[in-house]
Amino acid sequence: MSSQMDVAIVGGGVVGLLTAYYLQAEQKKVCIIDQSAVGTESSWAGGGILTPLYPWLYDDAINDLSAYGQEHYEALSQELFTESTIDPQWLQSGLIMLGLNKSQSQASQAWQQQYQVQLHDYQSSELHQYEPQLNKSYQQGYIQHNVAQLRNPWLVQSLRQYLQQKGVEFRENTPVTGINQQNGKATGVRTVQGNIKANKVVIASGAWSSLFPELSTIDVKPVMGQMILYKTEPHWLKRIVMERGKYVIPREDGHILCGSTIEWNGYKKITTKETRQSLKSAAETIIPALKDYNIIKQWSGLRPGSPNGVPYIGKQGQIENLYVNTGHYRYGVVMGLGSARLLTDIINNKQSFIDPSRYALSAIREKTNEYR
């Protein structure tokens, strides 16, 4: 089916694509295999905000990977746009956080100092100057001005085009049925269309990763999220705005996303009228003038949940030349670039920008309250 690959990557979402980006830059011959079309699962479904929501609530392992993406995504987006002519639309729109109580704002202080980030506390007139469409009842909020976003469906399209131009092979709509092994080493993968030989195998299959028997020890579960989409005039809303875990994200062309939910339905992916209404209510509470616009789309995606949101990145442990990059939960885009850099360094036996032990498959991950 294919000539011998240096690396076969199972999973063509943003994490798999970014891993291929770094590997091909190291002159590796790479093949990406996906059970459907590249980038059409959670990488397509998410919002593309380049920060964790309420980052001070998360493990440093999450924030450290996020910081790498925040530092390097702008340059990557420019490179991808230049080479592929598809613009990932990196945009520094800033983030308004509403409804933080005193204890939450105090909890953020150590995080702000550690990551050299500043949350600006604005009162009514200043707050509405930065976002005129904001509900006038909000009298106080915090703005993180340097928060950026990517239009994630365009990011994956741009990456795919870029990688194809660089010689990365794609096998789409090709379910992988197993990992081939010989003498305790991974030697490639079995697919419905035949074998793909590879010196190393990377599993980056998102919510489906733990279905491989070789990865039964990792705790990755599908977590469904629903979102809705409005269409307004371009630049009608300027800032990402978030309140109590719900957010609205303005795209440059006037599309506005609102999300998202956390639902435990296994691999069932659905949308419901009840969720549509609750998201509509949240969006129109934050931005009342959205009542004048129609919802043009509703969708859902399956995130790869992990116990505390810290992804699994590294060697499988028992089988040589088998690697994992999965379990990014809600933050596959913002953590994806750092995750891909880290795994590429592990594969090449290089010292990386970050301590890999925190992401090892054997690292202890304490479950958060929302993880089931």
Side-chain angles (χ1 to χ4, degrees):
M1 180 178 177
S2 292
S3 58
Q4 182 82 24
M5 294 288 156
D6 292 316
V7 186
I9 299 174
V10 183
V14 68
V15 171
L17 292 168
L18 289 169
T19 302
Y21 168 83
Y22 279 120
L23 286 167
Q24 63 81 30
E26 301 273 354
Q27 308 303 312
K28 303 294 185 185
K29 190 175 183 182
V30 180
C31 180
I32 293 176
I33 311 106
D34 199 283
Q35 65 183 347
S36 55
V38 162
T40 55
E41 288 294 343
S42 63
S43 299
W44 179 91
I49 304 174
L50 294 182
T51 181
L53 308 181
Y54 313 110
W56 51 89
L57 300 179
Y58 291 98
D59 194 293
D60 282 353
I62 292 172
N63 286 310
D64 290 347
L65 281 180
S66 299
Y68 184 92
Q70 289 159 350
E71 181 180 352
H72 295 283
Y73 258 127
E74 181 180 12
L76 173 66
S77 298
Q78 292 172 349
E79 179 187 5
L80 293 176
F81 186 24
T82 300
E83 295 286 337
S84 73
T85 72
I86 301 171
D87 187 2
Q89 290 199 358
W90 182 94
L91 175 66
Q92 194 172 63
S93 49
L95 170 65
I96 298 176
M97 298 182 186
L98 302 168
L100 297 189
N101 58 37
K102 187 175 181 180
S103 64
Q104 287 175 309
S105 59
Q106 289 174 338
S108 76
Q109 296 300 316
W111 167 79
Q112 292 183 61
Q113 185 173 7
Q114 181 176 352
Y115 291 95
Q116 298 182 333
V117 173
Q118 188 172 359
L119 296 184
H120 299 268
D121 185 354
Y122 289 107
Q123 303 306 308
S124 180
S125 61
E126 292 178 304
L127 186 65
H128 293 91
Q129 180 182 346
Y130 279 107
E131 185 42 69
Q133 299 293 349
L134 199 62
N135 191 323
K136 295 298 187 284
S137 68
Y138 296 119
Q139 298 300 305
Q140 186 271 341
Y142 294 88
I143 301 181
Q144 189 180 341
H145 290 288
N146 65 344
V147 169
Q149 58 165 290
L150 285 160
R151 197 162 182 170
N152 38 303
W154 295 21
L155 171 64
V156 294
Q157 291 177 41
S158 183
L159 275 165
R160 190 199 188 289
Q161 179 65 28
Y162 175 95
L163 292 170
Q164 194 165 35
Q165 291 171 193
K166 297 293 184 181
V168 172
E169 292 190 25
F170 287 86
R171 297 285 185 267
E172 297 179 270
N173 302 303
T174 306
V176 171
T177 58
I179 299 168
N180 288 328
Q181 302 175 43
Q182 188 173 2
N183 299 323
K185 295 181 179 180
T187 59
V189 298
R190 299 186 299 280
T191 81
V192 295
Q193 297 181 15
N195 290 332
I196 298 176
K197 297 178 182 179
N199 298 327
K200 300 180 190 299
V201 174
V202 174
I203 304 299
S205 303
W208 290 265
S209 298
S210 60
L211 296 181
F212 287 95
E214 295 85 352
L215 300 183
S216 60
T217 59
I218 71 171
D219 191 357
V220 173
K221 299 176 182 177
V223 187
M224 193 181 82
Q226 296 187 51
M227 298 186 76
I228 58 174
L229 183 69
Y230 294 84
K231 180 63 170 72
T232 69
E233 294 77 30
H235 310 293
W236 182 80
L237 185 69
K238 296 176 174 58
R239 313 281 174 180
I240 302 167
V241 188
M242 179 174 64
E243 182 185 33
R244 283 180 275 186
K246 296 294 187 289
Y247 50 77
V248 292
I249 308 170
R251 304 303 199 201
E252 285 193 295
D253 63 2
H255 284 96
I256 296 176
L257 292 77
C258 178
S260 68
T261 59
I262 297 173
E263 303 176 63
W264 302 83
N265 296 319
Y267 289 95
K268 183 168 66 172
K269 195 166 58 172
I270 61 172
T271 57
T272 64
K273 292 180 180 178
E274 294 79 10
T275 297
R276 179 187 178 96
Q277 186 56 44
S278 68
L279 290 174
K280 182 177 188 291
S281 176
E284 294 173 7
T285 297
I286 297 169
I287 308 294
L290 281 174
K291 293 175 183 176
D292 298 330
Y293 297 90
N294 294 324
I295 296 172
I296 63 170
K297 194 168 188 177
Q298 179 183 5
W299 67 89
S300 64
L302 299 179
R303 315 174 185 96
S306 54
N308 61 352
V310 176
Y312 296 88
I313 308 168
K315 298 178 180 179
Q316 185 263 3
Q318 305 299 318
I319 301 167
E320 195 174 339
N321 297 334
L322 179 59
Y323 300 83
V324 179
N325 196 355
T326 192
H328 297 74
Y329 192 21
R330 305 182 77 179
Y331 304 122
V333 174
V334 67
M335 287 198 288
L337 196 58
S339 298
R341 176 73 270 171
L342 173 59
L343 185 63
T344 299
D345 290 339
I346 291 171
I347 289 172
N348 292 326
N349 294 312
K350 291 183 178 179
Q351 183 173 346
S352 196
F353 70 100
I354 199 169
D355 177 9
S357 65
R358 294 181 291 172
Y359 309 96
L361 277 65
S362 58
I364 296 174
R365 291 166 171 80
E366 298 290 344
K367 288 186 179 181
T368 60
N369 292 332
E370 72 178 27
Y371 196 72
R372 297 183 185 177

